[in-house]
Amino acid sequence: MLDHTGIVVSDLAKARRFYDAIAETLGLATTSNSPESFLFGRSAEEPIPYLWIGTTRPSYWAEGSRAGLNQMHVAFVAPSKAAVDAFHRAAIAAGGRDNGAPGPREGAGDYYGAFVLDPDGNNIEACVRGAAAR
């Protein structure tokens, strides 16, 4: 189970607009964490698991790392196909780039997903599995 993960971004305000836009479509929220970061997760009341998003260089980064250099992939559970579609529309409207339009994925069984690149090129996905994906 995921406890937390994090990505470094080059422009916090641009990233916040992007993640605020997709949060509502997935039933999630953004929460301020510090002047250099925010959290993306269920809510302030239910903070774990979360995605930390900030501009601070993490102490664990390998030398030479920078925002957008090492693309990360994060997939969020969506409650329905309609939510996956809304996620994709909101992400594109908020400055994301299409990286796979909403739809079933061949060979993935009962799976429906959409992929976008956030403003720093991280691959962000929303998906639904099982009966809700049919």
Side-chain angles (χ1 to χ4, degrees), residues 21-133:
I22 68 171
E24 184 177 342
T25 68
L26 298 172
L28 299 172
T30 57
T31 306
S32 294
N33 187 49
S34 77
E36 297 86 25
S37 66
F38 62 94
L39 304 178
F40 184 81
R42 291 185 184 122
S43 67
E45 295 75 31
E46 193 177 355
I48 296 173
Y50 65 88
L51 171 64
W52 175 93
I53 301 166
T55 55
T56 307
R57 184 183 190 283
S59 60
Y60 54 82
W61 261 15
E63 194 60 40
S65 295
R66 61 178 165 73
L69 179 64
N70 298 316
Q71 183 191 60
M72 180 171 192
H73 172 73
V74 178
F76 295 103
V77 174
S80 65
K81 288 168 60 173
V84 171
D85 295 345
F87 155 85
H88 192 262
R89 284 191 305 274
I92 299 302
R97 292 174 287 150
D98 176 55
N99 199 34
R105 296 298 184 254
E106 189 174 325
D110 291 337
Y111 178 90
Y112 185 91
F115 302 83
V116 295
L117 300 178
D118 78 1
D120 283 291
N122 294 295
N123 187 32
I124 310 301
E125 174 187 3
C127 63
V128 62
R129 297 176 184 270

